[in-house]
Amino acid sequence: MADCVFCKIAEREIPSAVVYEDEDVIAFRDLEPQAPVHVLVIPKKHLESVLDFGKENKVLAAHILADVIPEVAKAQGLSAKGFRVVTNVGEEGGQTVKHLHFHILGGRSMQWPPG
Ligand code: 5GP
Ligand code: ZN
C-alpha cells in the first residue's frame, strides 16, 4: 500500500534490521526498542490489524502465530526466560503504524498490566 512504512520495509524500499523472512512474512528490529530484544513480525501483505485477518487469511494467521513467532523468539534466545507478544489495534490500542504487526519483546522482566 502506498505510503505505508511497513509495506516499504517488506519491499526493502526502507532499510531495516531483518531477523527473519519467508515468502509471506518478515521480521525486523524495532527502530525504538522498548526492551533488549524488540522485533516486529509482519505479514508482507498489507492488513491493517488483526481485525482484517478474516477467514481468507487463516493460514497466514496460523503461520505467524504457530511458526514464525516461536521461531524468531527461539532464535533471539528468548525461549528459556520468556517474552511478550503484543499486537496493538486502533486508537485506544495504541497502534501507530496501520500495518498489522506483532511485537516480540524480551530480555527483561515485563510489567503487568501494561500502561
Ligand atoms: P505500534 O505503536 O503501531 O504498535 O508500533 C509501531 C512500532 O513501529 C513502534 O514500536 C515503532 O518504534 C516502530 N517503527 C515505526 N517506524 C519504523 C521504521 O521505519 N522502522 C522500524 N524498524 N520500526 C519502526
Ligand atoms: Zn502496509
Side-chain angles (χ1 to χ4, degrees):
M1 181 186 249
D3 294 330
C4 171
V5 66
F6 285 1
C7 281
K8 287 179 178 164
I9 285 175
E11 287 158 18
R12 306 284 191 142
E13 286 175 29
I14 292 177
S16 68
V18 173
V19 299
Y20 173 93
E21 183 170 19
D22 65 32
E23 198 179 335
D24 302 310
V25 179
I26 190 165
F28 50 93
R29 295 196 188 282
D30 197 292
L31 204 56
E32 294 178 40
Q34 303 301 315
V37 176
H38 188 172
V39 171
L40 302 172
V41 177
I42 70 166
K44 290 183 175 177
K45 173 181 186 175
H46 183 90
L47 300 173
E48 186 167 322
S49 77
V50 287
L51 292 172
D52 279 355
F53 263 139
K55 283 186 184 158
E56 66 276 23
N57 294 301
K58 269 189 180 174
V59 171
L60 176 63
H63 177 52
I64 291 171
L65 285 173
D67 304 326
V68 180
I69 289 175
E71 184 173 330
V72 170
K74 284 177 199 161
Q76 294 297 316
L78 300 177
S79 53
K81 288 192 168 178
F83 57 95
R84 179 168 289 170
V85 179
V86 175
T87 187
N88 297 323
V89 180
E91 190 184 338
E92 291 199 355
Q95 185 178 10
T96 58
V97 177
K98 308 290 188 205
H99 180 130
L100 172 63
H101 52 281
F102 293 85
H103 299 257
I104 298 178
L105 297 145
R108 65 167 171 81
S109 285
M110 299 292 153
Q111 305 304 309
W112 191 263

